[in-house]
Amino acid sequence: MSRFNQLAPHDLFKALESANPSDTLPNLETLLDAVHFNKDGLLPAIAQQFDSGEVLMMAWMNREALEETLTTQRVCYYSRSRQKLWRKGETSGQQQQLKTAALDCDGDTLLLQVDQTGPACHTGRRSCFYVSLSSEHATITSEPLIDPATLYGKK
């Protein structure tokens, strides 16, 4: 039994601030009840390549997408534009296999360490973060690995 089991969901992440690795946490259902999804029921999820540390992309997850990701180990997001689950790679084949998932200290952001197949970005680049900014100008830092028209079969 966890000392955190009797807490109200809105109190759980505050209480976890003092937790230690040896503490027993509540079951997953209880923990997910305490996650701070936004008013639209979404949670920002940052995908990072597990072995290189490269930040690949940021997308949104609802609870269903998070639960599916944890169950299948294949990353699933929620598409705001399509208003439905988006299984990464279902169109392009460029899947993400989950290695680890971690919530931040507030329970309102998720870090996914993944094994990315090919490009993560719809532009055909490895990472969505390819527009570098400075105080003076912006630069493009990478070339597409695959033409997006080829990636999504639109030729």
Side-chain angles (χ1 to χ4, degrees):
M1 175 109 167
S2 168
R3 67 181 171 108
F4 303 104
N5 278 351
Q6 304 308 317
L7 296 172
H10 64 273
D11 294 330
L12 182 57
F13 279 93
K14 184 67 176 163
L16 290 177
E17 290 177 7
S18 63
N20 295 305
S22 61
D23 284 326
T24 301
L25 297 184
N27 65 38
L28 187 59
E29 181 82 14
T30 300
L31 192 64
L32 293 182
D33 287 344
V35 168
H36 298 290
F37 293 93
N38 70 15
K39 64 179 175 50
D40 297 319
L42 301 175
L43 180 72
I46 300 163
Q48 179 182 41
Q49 178 63 32
F50 83 100
D51 52 359
S52 69
E54 178 183 20
V55 176
L56 301 171
M57 59 180 283
M58 179 275 183
W60 296 93
M61 286 186 163
N62 62 9
R63 183 166 176 158
E64 184 181 3
L66 177 53
E67 289 174 338
E68 180 175 316
T69 297
L70 295 173
T71 301
T72 67
Q73 301 294 292
R74 179 176 171 198
V75 179
C76 176
Y77 297 106
Y78 182 80
S79 170
R80 295 176 301 163
S81 61
R82 292 177 282 186
Q83 297 287 295
K84 67 176 195 169
L85 293 180
W86 159 40
R87 290 160 187 92
K88 182 71 173 148
E90 65 190 345
T91 305
S92 68
Q94 310 303 306
Q95 297 181 14
Q96 291 176 348
Q97 289 300 126
L98 182 68
K99 294 295 187 177
T100 65
L103 289 160
D104 77 336
C105 57
D106 297 319
D108 64 4
T109 303
L110 186 66
L111 176 62
L112 304 171
Q113 291 197 323
V114 302
D115 190 8
Q116 172 71 46
T117 303
C121 185
H122 74 280
T123 66
R125 289 175 174 84
R126 177 75 177 161
S127 170
C128 293
F129 298 96
Y130 61 88
V131 180
S132 180
L133 306 174
S134 73
S135 62
E136 312 261 326
H137 62 280
T139 57
I140 301 297
T141 61
S142 67
E143 298 279 336
L145 300 173
I146 301 173
D147 179 347
T150 302
L151 191 61
Y152 295 100
K154 296 180 181 175
K155 280 200 168 191

